């Protein structure tokens, strides 16, 4: 039966003299079990037989689910996992006149590095299985744990498949009087084979004294700084973090800038390729994929992260499906690590949606207690799936009072409003009182 399907992994040969990480209880991962996912929401329609996908659930379970359809199919994997900082991270939300911190994800591990590395190792093994033969995987870390994960990557993907270590340097954070300022992250880049796709990017290289060289056959350019040539991009990238007043800022903790993902996706894929992010956070990879004409699959176990991704993609009129959280299980990594849920559920305070006649052809729909809403959507439910018709977002910290929906939309449909509060909790309110 489908729900008992098992996927076997090719056992990696032991290489004499090759260093590897050891911990108590370390064991080879020889197989994983398929678990079905539940489709819960749909936004937009398929295009050329494809619709993007967002999963709410543990990424080990989600990737095990993906093996049936996507084994060897993902052209680019980018992950930005916890950095083993032993801290919790928050998003800042505005409730009325007050800013409240909401837990986005936790980075505390009961058994320290062992639990962290067990979870990461299991994930990397599954990522190798779903990565295309010509694909690249990028793992985004920093000084806390990158040196351990580098050894894991050598063990799982192969030392010879190391491509680059990109240093992303920035201005914010990291200052101390007792050490040099920590102003960079590390991005490890590995391939699955020697035939990986790579599109070299160019950057400016300024001439000495910013004057033209006038060398024969060398094209030179001039900007406000001076004369330069274009050369292949180096492995140190200076890109600003997302500023507090930036338009792309979502408020989600540790959000990465779109400019960083633009370089990664442009260098690693072509238009129409499929990209995956299994620690999706606020959905920066998906946002850039939508801008660059790539397909995407996202996953996160935080409801706040998933709802942030849905909101961000809905604002772009992207087409995607949302799948529900899968059952928790521990037969892959042996570690049950579930993101702590928000202690505050404002959406429970929203008990009513007001539906009024707007004119002869339409209704006005208005949820009450709007200050506690992150966003809300009107749609219809078919076979247990909420199909979005129109989504209403916050503007200048205020949610639009109402939306106008044509009466024909309600004909022979089970209509509903999806309410998402500021902490990522959601509920559906059926519009039973509407009769046409």
């Amino acid at each position: 039966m489908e729900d008992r399907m098992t996927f076997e992994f090719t056992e990696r040969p032991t290489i004499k003299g090759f260093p590897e990480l050891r911990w108590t209880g370390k064991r080879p991962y020889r197989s994983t079990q398929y678990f079905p996912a539940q489709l819960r929401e749909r936004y937009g329609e398929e295009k050329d037989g494809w619709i993007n996908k967002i999963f709410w659930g543990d990424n080990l379970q989600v990737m095990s689910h993906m093996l049936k359809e996507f084994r060897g199919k993902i052209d680019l994997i980018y992950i930005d996992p916890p950095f083993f900082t032993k801290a919790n991270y928050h998003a800042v939300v505005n409730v009325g006149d007050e800013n409240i911190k909401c837990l986005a994800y936790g980075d505390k591990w009961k058994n320290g590095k062992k639990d962290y590395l067990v979870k990461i190792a299991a994930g990397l093994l599954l990522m190798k299985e779903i990565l295309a033969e010509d694909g690249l995987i990028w793992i985004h870390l920093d000084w806390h744990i990158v040196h351990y994960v580098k050894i894991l990557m050598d063990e799982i993907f192969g030392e010879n498949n190391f491509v680059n270590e990109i240093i992303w340097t920035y201005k914010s954070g990291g200052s101390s009087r007792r050490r040099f300022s920590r102003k960079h992250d590390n991005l490890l880049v590995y391939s699955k084979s020697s035939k990986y796709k790579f599109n070299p990017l160019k950057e400016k290289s300024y001439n000495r004294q910013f004057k033209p060289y006038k060398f024969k056959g060398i094209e030179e350019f001039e900007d406000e700084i001076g004369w330069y040539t274009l050369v292949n991009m180096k492995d140190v990238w200076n890109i600003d973090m997302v500023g507090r007043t930036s338009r792309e800022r979502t408020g989600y903790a540790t959000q990465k800038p779109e400019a960083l993902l633009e370089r990664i996706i442009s260098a690693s894929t072509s238009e129409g390729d499929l990209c995956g992010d299994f620690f999706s956070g606020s959905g920066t990879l998906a946002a850039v994929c939508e801008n660059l004409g790539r397909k995407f699959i996202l996953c996160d176990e935080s409801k706040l992260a998933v709802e942030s991704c849905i909101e961000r993609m809905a604002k772009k009129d992207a087409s995607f499906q949302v799948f529900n959280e899968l059952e928790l299980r521990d037969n892959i990594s042996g570690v049950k690590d579930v993101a702590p849920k928000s202690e505050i559920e404002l959406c429970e305070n929203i008990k009513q949606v007001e539906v009024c006649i707007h004119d002869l052809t339409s209704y006005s729909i208005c949820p009450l207690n709007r200050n506690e809403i992150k966003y809300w959507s009107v749609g219809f439910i078919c076979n247990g799936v909420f199909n979005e018709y129109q989504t209403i977002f916050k503007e200048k910290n205020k949610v639009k009072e109402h939306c106008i929906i044509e009466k024909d939309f309600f004909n022979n449909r089970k209509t509903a409003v999806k309410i998402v509060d500021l902490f990522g909790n959601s509920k559906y309110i059926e519009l039973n009182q509407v009769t046409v």
Side-chain angles (χ1 to χ4, degrees):
M1 294 177 62
E2 184 181 79
D3 59 353
R4 295 181 182 177
M5 187 184 302
T6 298
F7 298 99
E8 304 291 335
F9 300 150
T10 302
E11 191 169 349
R12 299 184 306 279
T14 300
I15 302 175
K16 188 176 180 179
F18 184 83
E20 65 176 38
L21 291 177
R22 306 280 298 185
W23 57 78
T24 303
K26 183 178 179 181
R27 58 183 175 84
Y29 304 117
R30 295 191 173 96
S31 65
T32 189
Q33 185 178 347
Y34 173 87
F35 271 59
Q38 183 180 14
L39 177 61
R40 293 303 305 271
E41 298 176 10
R42 177 189 289 268
Y43 294 71
E45 301 295 332
E46 288 186 5
K47 183 178 180 181
D48 298 327
W50 169 259
I51 187 167
N52 298 307
K53 304 178 192 306
I54 300 175
F55 289 87
W56 174 34
D58 180 272
N59 60 16
L60 301 183
Q61 300 169 35
V62 169
M63 287 187 284
S64 297
H65 166 82
M66 290 174 58
L67 283 171
K68 180 184 176 185
E69 184 179 354
F70 295 102
R71 197 168 196 170
K73 299 290 181 64
I74 312 297
D75 299 295
L76 163 68
I77 295 175
Y78 165 84
I79 58 169
D80 179 19
F83 285 9
F84 194 71
T85 59
K86 306 176 186 178
N88 290 330
Y89 291 86
H90 299 80
V92 179
V93 298
N94 180 267
V95 182
D97 297 326
E98 186 178 3
N99 288 328
I100 298 177
K101 286 186 176 181
C102 171
L103 186 63
Y105 67 90
D107 192 11
K108 296 181 178 181
W109 304 82
K110 183 179 179 180
N111 295 308
K113 286 188 178 73
K114 174 192 169 183
D115 278 3
Y116 180 93
L117 293 172
V118 166
K119 184 76 181 284
I120 288 291
L124 292 174
L125 182 64
L126 287 165
M127 291 174 208
K128 183 180 180 182
E129 293 295 320
I130 60 177
L131 185 66
E133 284 298 314
D134 61 349
L136 289 175
I137 177 171
W138 297 61
I139 180 166
H140 188 149
L141 295 163
D142 73 356
W143 62 271
H144 289 92
I145 202 73
V146 66
H147 40 295
Y148 287 88
V149 176
K150 173 69 167 65
I151 297 174
L152 277 181
M153 295 291 283
D154 285 345
E155 182 179 342
I156 294 171
F157 284 86
E159 186 178 20
N160 293 334
N161 287 324
F162 170 76
V163 177
N164 267 120
E165 179 179 12
I166 301 297
I167 301 300
W168 170 37
T169 180
Y170 41 77
K171 298 177 183 178
S172 305
S175 296
S176 172
R177 293 185 177 183
R178 295 180 57 83
R179 51 177 164 74
F180 294 112
S181 297
R182 292 167 177 164
K183 301 283 190 179
H184 78 268
D185 290 0
N186 310 66
L187 288 89
L188 302 176
V189 189
Y190 279 75
S191 64
K192 192 172 177 178
S193 72
S194 60
K195 298 179 180 179
Y196 59 87
K197 180 183 293 185
F198 182 72
N199 308 312
L201 304 179
K202 299 291 185 179
E203 67 179 3
K204 295 178 181 180
S205 177
Y206 285 98
N207 301 351
R208 291 185 180 89
Q209 299 180 347
F210 307 106
K211 296 179 180 179
Y213 289 145
K214 299 181 180 179
F215 293 147
K216 187 176 181 180
I218 301 297
E219 189 175 10
E220 296 181 285
F221 308 89
E222 185 182 19
D223 63 12
E224 66 278 3
I225 297 175
W227 287 86
Y228 65 90
T229 57
L230 291 176
V231 299
N232 285 349
M233 190 170 287
K234 301 177 184 66
D235 58 4
V236 178
W237 297 355
N238 193 335
I239 299 173
D240 287 341
M241 283 184 157
V242 180
R244 293 185 179 183
T245 59
S246 171
R247 289 186 176 181
E248 69 182 78
R249 188 173 182 84
T250 65
Y252 191 83
T254 65
Q255 178 185 350
K256 300 304 183 289
E258 292 187 9
L260 177 67
L261 272 297
E262 283 174 6
R263 286 193 187 181
I264 293 170
I265 293 170
S266 297
S268 309
T269 64
S270 303
E271 189 171 348
D273 280 354
L274 178 57
C275 305
D277 183 354
F278 305 104
F279 295 86
S280 63
S282 65
T284 300
L285 176 129
V288 177
C289 282
E290 191 67 17
N291 294 342
L292 298 180
R294 273 64 165 176
K295 305 167 186 174
F296 64 81
I297 298 176
L298 302 184
C299 166
D300 207 291
E301 61 186 3
S302 162
K303 193 65 164 64
L304 176 62
V306 169
E307 291 297 349
S308 296
C309 292
I310 292 172
E311 179 185 21
R312 197 167 178 180
M313 292 300 97
K315 284 181 177 178
K316 289 180 169 290
D317 290 324
S319 295
F320 57 94
Q321 296 171 323
V322 182
F323 293 83
N324 205 29
E325 184 177 17
L326 307 175
E327 287 184 20
L328 288 175
R329 58 192 179 90
D330 61 354
N331 67 329
I332 301 178
S333 69
V335 178
K336 286 184 178 179
D337 175 50
V338 183
K341 293 180 173 58
S342 170
E343 298 177 355
I344 307 172
E345 290 202 23
L346 296 176
C347 66
E348 291 304 314
N349 300 330
I350 304 167
K351 305 291 185 183
Q352 187 177 351
V353 174
E354 188 175 78
V355 181
C356 305
I357 295 175
H358 177 68
D359 56 30
L360 292 176
T361 61
S362 61
Y363 287 108
S364 171
I365 300 177
C366 174
L368 306 182
N369 299 334
R370 290 182 301 279
N371 288 335
E372 300 173 347
I373 295 176
K374 181 179 178 68
Y375 72 90
W376 58 286
S377 300
V378 180
F380 64 93
I381 298 174
C382 180
N383 297 324
V385 178
F386 176 80
N387 295 266
E388 180 259 4
Y389 177 74
Q390 184 175 339
T391 299
I392 296 85
F393 309 102
K394 293 188 77 170
E395 296 179 5
K396 297 180 180 179
N397 273 336
K398 291 185 179 180
V399 176
K400 187 177 177 181
E401 290 186 0
H402 63 274
C403 71
I404 307 301
I405 303 292
E406 297 80 5
K407 286 184 178 181
D408 290 345
F409 173 75
F410 296 93
N411 288 339
N412 302 315
R413 280 175 168 166
K414 187 178 180 180
T415 55
V417 169
K418 176 191 175 185
I419 305 288
V420 181
D421 71 21
L422 297 167
F423 298 97
N425 305 296
S426 62
K427 69 184 295 186
Y428 302 91
I429 300 176
E430 293 184 25
L431 302 180
N432 297 323
Q433 63 268 50
V434 175
T435 58
V436 180

